[in-house]
Amino acid sequence: MGFGPYFLLASLEGLVTAAVLTLTALGLSLVFGVMRVVNVAHGEFFMLGAVLAWAISTAFAGHPSIGFAAALLVSPLVVGGVALLAERLVLRRLNYDPEATIVATIGLLYIVQQLALTFYGPDARPVQAPFNIRVTLPWFGYSGYKLAVIAAAIVLVIATWLVLTRTKVGLVMRATQYDRETAQAFGIPVDRVYAGVFALGAMLAAIAAVLVVPIQQAHYLMGRDPLLLSFIVVIIGGLGSLRGTVVAAVLIGLSDGIISVFFSPTLAKMLATLLVALVLVFRPQGLFGAATR
Amino acid sequence: MASTLAIDGLDAFYGEVQVLRGFKLDLQQHEVLCLLGRNGAGKTTALKAIMGLVPARAGSIIKDGRDLTKLAPHEVPRTGVAYVPQGRRLFSELTVAENIEIGLMARGKGRTTRESVLDLFPVLRERLSQRSGTLSGGEQQMLAMARALCLEPDVLLLDEPTEGLMPSMIAKIRETVAGLRERGVSTILVEQRVDAVLSLADRVAFIENGQNRETLPVQAVRDDPAFVRRYVGVE
C-alpha cells in the first residue's frame, strides 16, 4: 500500500479517535464552562458507560444490534443518574467551590473505579458491534461501524450546538455560564441548571464509551486516557467553548491517529502534551476561550 | 400610603462579616425611595439581600404577605421584584435579544411585554442581534433596565444606574424612572449623585454602618443640606 492510501487509513483512524474524543471532551467542557467545576472523575463516567454497555448488551440474546441499542439508550441514562446523585450529594454540598470539587471528584474517581473492579472485575471484555459492514475503498476495506461512529458524533455535536444556541434551555445554560448571580436574579434556578449540566456532561462521556466499546474492550481502567485527552482538548480549545472543543478534538484525534500509525502512540501523546504547554504559555484562554465572570 | 415592600430587622453577612444590622426600610406604592450613604454603608448589600443574593440570617422582607427571605434566590423575581445591578451585569456574550429573552422568561412574559419595553428604548430595537458587550455604556444601561422591565415588576431595584454615563443618558434614565412611577412601579434607587437623588426621589433613606438611620421626605433633605453632609460627606 502506497503512502496516500496509508495516510488515508491513518486519517480515518484519527477521525474515529476524534469523534469519541469530541463527545467526551464536550461533556468535560460543558461542566467546566457552566459550573466552573474541574471534573476529575469524568473519565470514570466514560468507563462506567463502557462497562454498563457490556453488562446490558450481554443481557440480551439474539442479534447484537438489539443489545447494543439497549446499551446506547440505558447506559447514558444510568451514568447520568449516577452523576446527578454525585452532584446532589457532593458538589452541591461543597457549594461548587472550584478547589474543593477537584479533591471531591478525585475521590469520586477512585470510588467509581473500585466499584467497577469489585463488581465487573479486572478483565477487558468485548462488546459486539451492532453490524459488521465493510466499506470497500479502492485501496483497502474499512469498518462501516467506525464510519458510523464518526457520523454519530457529528450528529450529536450538531444536536448539542442546536440545543445550546437555539433553545431556551441552552440560553439558560449560557446565561448561567456567564454570570451565575445575575442568572439567579432573573429567575434561573442555578442549582437545577448545574445538576442538569453535570448529568449531561456525564451522559456525553457515556455515549462516547458505548460507541467505542465495539472497537476497544471495556475495562475498569479505561477512563484514564479519555480524561487526559479531554483535558488536553478543552485546554487547547478554550474551556467552555463548544467550537474550540470540536476543533481541538479533531486536531488531537487526527494527529493521534496519524502519528500513531506512522511513528508511535507515545510520540502522539508527547506532542499533544507539548501543544498544551505551548497553549498555556502563549494563549492561556485556549484557541477559542471566552471571557467569563 | 400602603407599603409595597417592608424590611424589618434584617441581618446580612458576607462570609463572617456582618454588613446589614437590623436593617429597616418601608417602600410605599408609587414612590421612588433613594438610599444614600458612604461607600461600604450597605446600600448595595440591601438590594442584594432583597433579591436573596446575600442570605439574610435574621429579619424579614415582606412583599404581598410573603417573606422573601424564605424564598430561594431564583424565586424572588417571580414575586415581581426586578433588579438592575451595579455595573449593569449584562450577559455580555449574549445578544441584546437574548438578554431581553432572559428577562421575559423570568416571569413568563411574551411578545407584548417585549414590544412595550423596546418602545421605551427604541435604540435597542436596532441592536437586537448585536452582542451586548459591544454596546456603548449608555446602551448597556438601557438594556439592563429593559431586561429588568421585561418582568413587568411592581418593585424595581436600581443600583447606581447613572454611573459613568453622559448627561443625555442620565436624563433618559431619570425620565424612565419617573415614567415608571406614573405607571405604578415602586423603585428603590441607590445613587451616589446627590443631584440625581434630589431631583427624582420622593423620600431618602440615609444608610450608615448597615443601618437605616433615618428616612425623610426629599423636601426635608433639600431644605437642610446638613443631612447629606452628615451621611454622605458632601455638600
Side-chain angles (χ1 to χ4, degrees), chain B residues 1 28 30 52 65 76 78 90 112 129 137 144 174 177 190-191 233:
Chain B
M1 208 182 265
Q28 295 177 352
H30 305 201
V76 174
R78 292 174 198 165
L90 296 172
T112 315
S129 58
R174 279 189 204 175
V177 174
V190 169
E191 183 57 77

Side-chain angles (χ1 to χ4, degrees), chain A residues 39-52:
Chain A
N39 179 18
V40 184
H42 193 66
E44 303 317 305
F45 289 141
F46 178 91
M47 178 275 289
L48 195 57
V51 165
L52 285 169

Side-chain angles (χ1 to χ4, degrees), chain A residues 165 168 171-172 174-175 178-179 181-190 192 290-291 293, chain B residues 48 51 53 73-74 77-78 83 89-91 93-94 98 101-103 105-106 147-148 151:
Chain A
T165 58
K168 286 189 177 179
L171 182 59
V172 161
R174 285 184 292 145
Y178 296 131
D179 192 336
E181 186 177 272
T182 306
Q184 284 183 310
F186 285 88
I188 295 176
V190 166
R192 269 181 253 162
R293 176 147 30 207
Chain B
K48 285 191 171 188
M51 295 306 298
L53 301 174
H74 72 271
R78 292 174 198 165
Y83 179 42
R89 300 283 290 266
L90 296 172
F91 300 109
E93 297 294 318
L94 303 185
E98 287 172 330
E101 181 66 25
I102 294 281
M105 282 160 55
R147 183 179 62 177
L151 279 74

Side-chain angles (χ1 to χ4, degrees), chain A residues 12-23 153 246 249-254:
Chain A
L12 284 171
E13 287 297 306
L15 281 176
V16 175
T17 306
V20 175
L21 187 54
T22 303
L23 293 179
V246 173
V250 172
L251 186 73
I252 294 297
L254 267 179

Side-chain angles (χ1 to χ4, degrees), chain B residues 15-63:
Chain B
E16 291 308 311
V17 179
Q18 185 168 8
V19 183
L20 298 183
R21 297 174 174 81
F23 189 83
K24 291 174 194 251
L25 198 72
D26 184 40
L27 178 67
Q28 295 177 352
Q29 284 179 358
H30 305 201
E31 79 161 343
V32 176
L33 174 58
C34 285
L35 308 189
L36 265 183
R38 289 184 169 86
N39 285 338
K43 307 181 295 293
T44 293
T45 306
L47 298 193
K48 285 191 171 188
I50 294 169
M51 295 306 298
L53 301 174
V54 175
R57 290 199 193 166
S60 61
I61 303 167
I62 305 295
K63 180 178 186 296

Side-chain angles (χ1 to χ4, degrees), chain A residues 120-177:
Chain A
Y120 175 81
D123 300 329
R125 300 173 203 202
V127 171
Q128 271 195 285
F131 54 85
N132 275 312
I133 298 170
R134 199 142 188 89
V135 177
T136 309
L137 299 172
W139 314 278
F140 55 85
Y142 197 70
S143 161
Y145 177 73
K146 286 185 176 177
L147 294 176
V149 168
I150 297 170
I154 291 170
V155 168
L156 281 166
V157 167
I158 291 172
T160 307
W161 179 77
L162 286 174
V163 167
L164 282 174
T165 58
R166 303 287 164 89
T167 67
K168 286 189 177 179
V169 170
L171 182 59
V172 161
M173 282 166 62
R174 285 184 292 145
T176 306
Q177 171 177 356

